[in-house]
Amino acid sequence: MVKPYQRGVALIIALIMLTAMMMSGIALFRKIGAGAMIAGNLTFTSAAISAAELGSESGRTWLTSQTASGLYGAAAGYFPATCYSVNTHITTDVNCNNSGAPVFDPVSFDWATFSTLSTADDGAGNEIRYVIHRLCRMTGELDKIGQECILSQSATGGSGGKSNVTYNTQSISSTMKPYYRITTRVRGPRNSLAYTQVTMF
């Protein structure tokens, strides 16, 4: 025969077990929700990195359409030296090693003021901006005194052949081109942020 107080104990134990199961269910739900959020954020970040290709291509297209002299009259987004505080709107020559201008840092850089907007929305909610730096220590010409640049050099002309020690009528000439760095920033949904850099000449 079951006594009355034994029925009360069974009810208390059942309530405790029910509470424990409910808390376990809530914890599991929260864990699943956090995992889904992390997976979603990784997806948006991956999409932002892929979208950065548009910024790199926009920068390359702009850069290849300029003349050597035209570069120095460009709008915001192009820098003739590696230090980021020197913009083409400043006409004075600057030596990045001596001007006190800080080295370019994508995180602290003023993207709203000194970058070029590639697109405000690429269809997936990504805002894409880019900046171009000529990889030189100073503004101005490549052969100016004190200038240091990362250069690509190509030569034309040369010898008449292996068995011929004489030189061809074509003179040997060399063409030097500076390297450029295109930095792209993509700001997407859920405050996702991605930076990419490409180098070209």
Side-chain angles (χ1 to χ4, degrees):
M1 181 176 178
V2 179
K3 297 179 180 178
Y5 67 85
Q6 290 177 325
R7 293 195 186 95
V9 170
L11 180 60
I12 292 172
I13 293 174
L15 288 174
I16 291 173
M17 293 298 294
L18 184 61
T19 303
M21 291 173 63
M22 183 178 66
M23 296 301 292
S24 299
I26 292 173
L28 181 61
F29 178 77
R30 288 171 61 89
K31 192 172 291 185
I32 291 173
M37 185 176 294
I38 292 171
N41 289 341
L42 289 174
T43 301
F44 282 120
T45 301
S46 178
I49 293 173
S50 298
E53 292 290 334
L54 177 60
S56 300
E57 184 61 25
S58 297
R60 186 197 69 81
T61 301
W62 179 86
L63 193 59
T64 54
S65 67
Q66 306 301 307
T67 61
S69 60
L71 284 173
Y72 299 97
Y78 172 78
F79 299 85
T82 56
C83 46
Y84 78 82
S85 64
V86 183
N87 192 262
T88 49
H89 298 298
I90 300 174
T91 57
T92 56
D93 287 343
V94 174
N95 183 333
C96 288
N97 288 359
N98 301 326
S99 66
V103 176
F104 174 72
D105 180 1
V107 177
S108 59
F109 180 70
D110 185 359
W111 287 90
T113 305
F114 295 115
S115 68
T116 299
L117 178 66
S118 178
T119 179
D121 187 347
D122 66 345
N126 294 308
E127 179 197 68
I128 305 172
R129 292 179 172 272
Y130 69 87
V131 292
I132 301 173
H133 288 86
R134 187 181 70 159
L135 298 184
C136 292
R137 189 181 77 174
M138 304 167 65
T139 59
E141 301 301 324
L142 299 179
D143 58 353
K144 70 186 297 185
I145 297 175
Q147 180 68 283
E148 293 179 2
C149 295
I150 301 175
L151 299 172
S152 169
Q153 187 171 357
S154 60
T156 58
S159 137
K162 290 183 179 179
S163 61
N164 189 350
V165 295
T166 60
Y167 284 94
N168 200 345
T169 54
Q170 183 181 7
S171 61
I172 298 175
S173 62
S174 178
T175 302
M176 293 188 301
K177 296 179 180 179
Y179 276 84
Y180 299 89
R181 182 185 63 213
I182 303 173
T183 305
T184 304
R185 187 197 73 170
V186 181
R187 185 185 294 277
R190 294 190 188 177
N191 291 323
S192 58
L193 203 58
Y195 300 94
T196 64
Q197 288 185 327
V198 297
T199 305
M200 62 172 292
F201 63 90

